[in-house]
């Protein structure tokens, strides 16, 4: 079963992860976010369990316009796995394309129409 992912969370591009996480923390009445020391990533844990919200800093961030094809929505899905290698093989067999395998604890893929997502063994 290690090759079947579970829904981990959604990562949202933004210029200031701590600030945006603070907004959603207040909106949802969740606990304070965990923010990496460099400030490039913030994570809000769902107090009821389940999916988390994550925020990643993007240099020269351009806010999406809805609806728009010029500046589409900017987010990707993180899927948690216990066996990254088995999950990697499975997702490729389903039609995903590997975009980045340089990180040690996660890999970035594109779904069949190009939306990015990550398999995370973090």
């Amino acid at each position: 079963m290690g090759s079947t992912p579970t829904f981990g969370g959604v990562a949202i591009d933004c210029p200031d992860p701590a600030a945006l996480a603070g907004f959603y923390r207040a909106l949802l009445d969740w606990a304070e976010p965990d923010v990496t020391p460099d400030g490039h990533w913030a994570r809000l844990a769902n107090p009821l369990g389940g999916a988390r919200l994550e925020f990643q800093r993007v240099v020269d961030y351009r806010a999406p316009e809805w609806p728009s094809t010029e500046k589409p929505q900017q987010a990707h899905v993180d899927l948690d796995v216990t066996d990254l290698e088995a999950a990697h093989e499975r997702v490729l067999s389903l039609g995903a394309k590997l975009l980045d395998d340089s990180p040690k604890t996660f890999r970035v893929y594109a779904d069949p129409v190009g939306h990015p997502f990550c398999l995370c063994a973090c």
Side-chain angles (χ1 to χ4, degrees), residues 30-119:
W30 288 4
E32 290 294 322
D34 292 322
V35 181
T36 60
D38 64 7
H40 286 110
W41 190 267
R43 175 180 287 175
L44 282 175
N46 184 332
L48 302 175
R52 62 190 172 267
L53 285 174
E54 298 170 309
F55 307 88
Q56 65 182 2
R57 177 173 291 150
V58 172
V59 177
D60 297 327
Y61 173 77
R62 295 180 343 155
E65 294 176 359
W66 188 87
S68 171
T69 57
E70 292 295 315
K71 294 184 191 176
Q73 296 180 51
Q74 303 163 359
H76 71 267
V77 175
D78 282 346
L79 302 171
D80 293 344
V81 297
T82 57
D83 185 335
L84 187 56
E85 292 304 320
H88 168 79
E89 294 301 324
R90 182 172 183 270
V91 76
L92 292 178
S93 75
L94 294 172
K97 177 183 174 187
L98 178 65
L99 299 178
D100 185 4
D101 65 353
S102 61
K104 296 197 185 295
T105 59
F106 68 95
R107 294 188 184 148
V108 183
Y109 301 85
D111 69 20
V113 297
H115 298 113
F117 69 94
C118 296
L119 292 180

